[in-house]
Amino acid sequence: MGVRWVVSLLAQAVAVIFLVATSSFFLLQVIPGDPASVVAGLDADSATVERVRQSMGLDRPLHQRYFEWISGVSRGELGVSHVQRRPVEDLIRDRLPVTIRLAGFALLLSLLLGLGMAVIASAHSAGTTLTRLLEYGAFAFPQFWVALILLYFFSFRLGWLPMFGVEERGSMILPAVALALPNAAVVSRTARASLRELLQGNHALAARALGIPKSRVFLIHLLPLAMIPVLPVLAIQAGYLLAGAIVVEQVFGLPGLGRLTLSAIVQRDLPLIQGIIVVFGLAFPLLNASADFLVGLLWPRLRHGQSS
Amino acid sequence: MRSLISVLLIILLSLLGGIPDIVEAGGRGEVRESVRDRLVFGLSGDPNTLDPHATTGTLTFQTMRSVYDTLVEPDPDGRIVPALAESWSINAEGTRWTFHLREDVQFHHGRALTAEDVRASILRLQDPGFASPSAHEYALIQEVRVLDDHTVELILSGPHAPLLATLASGWSAILPADLIREGHDFDSEPLGTGPFRFERWVRDSEIRLSRNENYWQPGRPLLREVQFRIITEQAVMAQALMTGRIDVADIVVEPELSLLRQSPAVRIYESPSALVMVLAINTRREPLDRLEVRRGINAAIDKQAVMDTAYAGGEVVGTFMDVANPYYLDFTDLHPHDPEMARSVAAELTGGRELVITLPQNFEPHVRAGELYHEMLRNAGFRVRTQLVDWSTWLSDVYREGRFDLTVIGHTGKLDPHGRLAQFGTDQTYVGWEDPPTVEAIEAARVTLDPEKRFEHYAIALRRMAEQLPFVFVGSPVRYVGLNAELRGFYMDSRLDTADLRNVRFEAP
């Protein structure tokens, strides 16, 4: 992990932020829906709507607003929310802990579930069929629906887990499961393919030739190697978890970034939407970099561009 | 081997983050008090702000009704009665309104209410820099005079009867002058004179209030604590109410309504809503600018069927006023349901022009109603197409810019009929229907203080609208609130769409 790596990572992050910030700013200008009308409400006359528009600064020319905003972004200031009238970075900071907790828990669950499924599939031919079915299921059922079904059984029927909010004990379990299922399928598929390859490779043959028991070869020598392609996939998936959080946080009433995103879009709170897009945009290069970092840390031989 | 250990270590470490959740999941996390004086109120969305001067959003008033008071307030019969003002008088010209304030009112930070607070609140509402969306309702107030500590006078540039109702509405909340001056953050830290004090707001999660021990109504409120719980999913709201996790579901619609009716733990609170559900017609456009075509469309609609199927029941109306309103007049016989007549209009007068019904996609009942209108119009031989748009697009494209043929919406009522009718008949509304007699009648009612004379003026306007059909006036639905069956004293003002929690208590088990 040299200086060059860090520098290129930073350059990449800056470029991504700039591109994402600029394109989101201009794209949001062309979508229909007027933020001032939303805030002013049904009863306001046109003079009131105009006053509200001015108080939002939307009456000023586009290029002026763009340069103000983009220079703000370079200083780490994302503007002020039209609707909540607070700095966007504060709003996002308030919501991040819930979403990070949810996504982190879901990521972990998807890793454990996915690896478990892959191991079962590789260990037995009947396991392959079962795993495939589970994978299809996890992909095919919409998260929204899965979340409601989980809620119905475990909260409403059985009363084991809370229905909403984050204060009560165990409140993250159902949301994390709902969020983790599609990811678990992705992990399982990737790990399964890589395990199959490894089982037929020289590693396995050599280990068997040395008389190491099969299960030991599998769990200690092959599984860690199978993780190598899984980690980058997981990093990409972590980004998608943030998107899935929009649905899951809505169903379970979690005050996270997903809820904030949805209400910002519904209310056309442009500075807030832009700010969230920048933060999400930043998440992808960061997650990719941390996956690279982890792979390098765990498998030092891969660090200098050597492949196994 | 070393790599395996680090993998395990990392997995273990990240697991620890999740473990507290798993370990603690054993309990149901629910504590039942023996004496229930804590209310959990399920709210269907998060307010944008808690500043009642800064919004027109119902969710703000639904919660802030309990934190703030107004000079006057509506009683259940629709009369305006004293609140912070124990009495008031209006001069004969209707230009000088004098309010005498109660002397026993304290703000939650301990300072006594004075006339200066009323003045500061109204000036804040009028301040162009503050840009309150309600500012236009106070536009005629030229001056707010403080006569003494407990007397305040509003000087109007002309008579304006709807002002009293405005002063009784949630957006006329009285805020403390000292905090207004200091630039206090009323958006997130409301402070008023109301029955409950604000404790905390976790956005998109909950709002907590606690009893104001010094409230000016003796012995009120009865509850010690109110927690507004934000639950946006209707299905979750219903399940939470049935399992006792919440005590109030602020609004209930089908299909959850039927489910809740069967639950012994739940009582459904019904009140006539102040809404008028309409199929709005863009009268600027061909061929909708012709009355005969609008009558044909109106005749194609089976209004009762729409009310029952899409809006969970309600009463059919024939004009732009809700059934429970004292100003309501029945014009339902004027244009009966007549598919035959609709068919001949569709065949002869539309010239085969396709009509687009634009629906606000986030309101399920309107979408359902839209599908019914589509079906009914198609059966009558009209060429129709349905188009869904999201709420903010609807607001700007349809409502502000009038780019639509037909659209479906519910118009809310206000305490005063002027709130609903203002601007109708001018070219300022989205239906584009211009009618000088209507404008004249509405204006005459606005400047008339005598309620009986106002009724006569509004009768003219309502008849014109019933005859001219700028809308298909469909009906007023019933407003359903889901309540814990043990809850007593709950009252929801349907015109303001806000709950009064001062008398709410739980029946002793």
Side-chain angles (χ1 to χ4, degrees), chain B residues 119-403:
Chain B
R119 189 177 116 88
S121 298
I122 292 177
L123 292 185
R124 185 172 187 255
L125 282 157
Q126 292 181 317
D127 179 8
F130 182 72
S132 168
S134 311
H136 59 105
E137 297 195 29
Y138 309 87
L140 286 178
I141 301 177
Q142 283 192 316
E143 197 187 339
V144 186
R145 278 190 201 149
V146 174
L147 298 190
D148 62 50
D149 265 4
H150 297 100
T151 314
V152 62
E153 213 170 59
L154 309 183
I155 310 296
L156 275 60
S157 56
H160 184 61
L163 182 62
L164 194 62
T166 291
L167 294 174
S169 304
W171 43 99
S172 296
I174 302 301
L175 277 52
D178 52 336
L179 295 189
I180 293 178
R181 240 189 340 266
E182 289 166 21
H184 179 80
D185 177 18
F186 286 101
D187 270 332
S188 48
E189 282 173 42
L191 189 146
T193 58
F196 293 91
R197 350 165 28 112
F198 171 78
E199 292 293 336
R200 66 175 177 146
W201 178 23
V202 182
R203 287 189 194 240
D204 266 333
S205 181
E206 62 157 353
I207 296 167
R208 259 178 216 266
L209 311 178
S210 65
R211 175 160 56 208
N212 172 9
E213 303 290 348
N214 301 317
Y215 191 58
W216 52 271
Q217 283 188 353
R220 295 288 181 278
L222 300 167
L223 295 166
R224 184 177 48 83
E225 196 182 304
V226 177
Q227 182 193 17
F228 292 95
R229 206 58 253 202
I230 291 129
I231 304 173
T232 44
E233 283 306 316
Q234 275 289 316
V236 179
M237 183 88 99
Q239 292 176 14
L241 185 62
M242 286 161 83
T243 48
R245 286 172 166 96
I246 60 172
D247 305 302
V248 181
D250 69 342
I251 185 157
V252 178
V253 294
E254 290 292 5
E256 284 79 19
L257 179 62
S258 314
L259 198 72
L260 290 176
R261 280 193 195 283
Q262 292 163 15
S263 167
V266 175
R267 185 164 62 89
I268 298 292
Y269 178 93
E270 301 184 7
S271 54
S273 81
L275 282 166
V276 176
M277 299 307 189
V278 297
L279 173 63
I281 304 174
N282 191 345
T283 65
R284 292 186 188 93
R285 286 194 177 175
E286 267 283 319
L288 303 169
D289 53 344
R290 294 156 70 184
L291 177 58
E292 307 81 63
V293 174
R294 299 202 295 271
R295 289 178 63 176
I297 291 172
N298 185 78
I301 306 298
D302 180 352
K303 298 177 177 182
Q304 192 65 57
V306 174
M307 290 313 294
D308 292 344
T309 314
Y311 296 118
E315 219 168 307
V316 166
V317 299
T319 188
F320 202 36
M321 195 53 69
D322 51 303
V323 177
N325 199 291
Y327 289 91
Y328 176 74
L329 285 166
D330 186 357
F331 291 110
T332 46
D333 293 338
L334 207 58
H335 302 295
H337 177 47
D338 185 353
E340 276 311 309
M341 179 243 190
R343 247 186 292 279
S344 69
V345 168
E348 289 156 30
L349 296 174
T350 61
R353 155 107 151 67
E354 185 185 58
L355 299 173
V356 180
I357 310 179
T358 307
L359 301 174
Q361 147 274 328
N362 55 327
F363 292 119
E364 186 56 34
H366 292 330
V367 175
R368 245 176 288 155
E371 285 159 2
L372 291 170
Y373 296 137
H374 183 121
E375 200 56 25
M376 290 168 182
L377 288 171
R378 203 176 53 86
N379 286 343
F382 289 92
R383 277 186 63 212
V384 263
R385 184 160 61 83
T386 303
Q387 171 199 338
L388 289 176
V389 295
D390 79 321
W391 177 237
S392 61
T393 307
W394 188 90
L395 269 177
S396 53
D397 286 14
V398 175
Y399 195 73
R400 294 271 161 231
E401 286 166 33
R403 281 190 270 141

Side-chain angles (χ1 to χ4, degrees), chain A residues 10-28:
Chain A
L10 281 177
Q12 197 191 351
V14 168
V16 165
I17 290 186
F18 177 76
L19 284 177
V20 163
T22 303
S23 53
S24 70
F25 182 89
F26 289 104
L27 277 176
L28 284 174

Side-chain angles (χ1 to χ4, degrees), chain B residues 89-128:
Chain B
S89 59
I90 305 171
N91 71 347
E93 293 78 43
T95 52
R96 184 185 295 259
W97 298 43
T98 314
F99 291 87
H100 303 279
L101 305 183
R102 300 182 65 93
E103 300 190 5
D104 54 353
V105 182
Q106 264 187 25
F107 281 102
H108 299 152
H109 64 323
R111 195 174 57 71
L113 170 86
T114 70
E116 194 51 52
D117 299 307
V118 177
R119 189 177 116 88
S121 298
I122 292 177
L123 292 185
R124 185 172 187 255
L125 282 157
Q126 292 181 317
D127 179 8

Side-chain angles (χ1 to χ4, degrees), chain A residues 63-191:
Chain A
H63 64 271
Q64 199 181 332
R65 280 189 280 141
Y66 171 71
F67 285 114
E68 252 177 51
W69 187 68
I70 203 82
S71 63
V73 171
S74 68
R75 293 189 305 268
E77 287 164 20
L78 299 174
V80 176
S81 153
H82 285 159
V83 177
Q84 304 196 17
R85 309 210 257 188
R86 286 173 62 210
V88 167
E89 57 270 21
D90 289 1
L91 294 175
I92 294 176
R93 196 182 315 120
D94 286 355
R95 303 304 185 95
L96 262 180
V98 170
T99 303
I100 287 181
R101 231 178 109 200
L102 172 66
F105 195 9
L107 202 61
L108 180 72
L109 271 179
S110 61
L111 187 64
L112 293 180
L113 276 175
L115 283 183
M117 277 157 67
V119 168
I120 292 172
S122 312
H124 202 279
S125 62
T128 312
T129 319
L130 178 72
T131 301
R132 280 218 175 120
L133 274 177
L134 286 173
E135 283 171 9
Y136 291 144
F139 270 130
F141 293 116
Q143 266 173 337
F144 178 77
W145 183 83
V146 171
L148 280 177
I149 294 293
L150 287 172
L151 198 76
Y152 176 77
F153 280 106
F154 293 101
S155 298
F156 181 66
R157 283 273 144 186
L158 299 168
W160 290 351
L161 292 164
M163 251 177 206
F164 42 72
V166 285
E167 306 89 354
E168 286 180 46
R169 288 169 292 177
S171 53
M172 281 287 169
I173 294 179
L174 291 182
V177 170
L179 194 54
L181 285 179
N183 276 4
V186 176
V187 170
S188 161
R189 256 196 351 198
T190 317

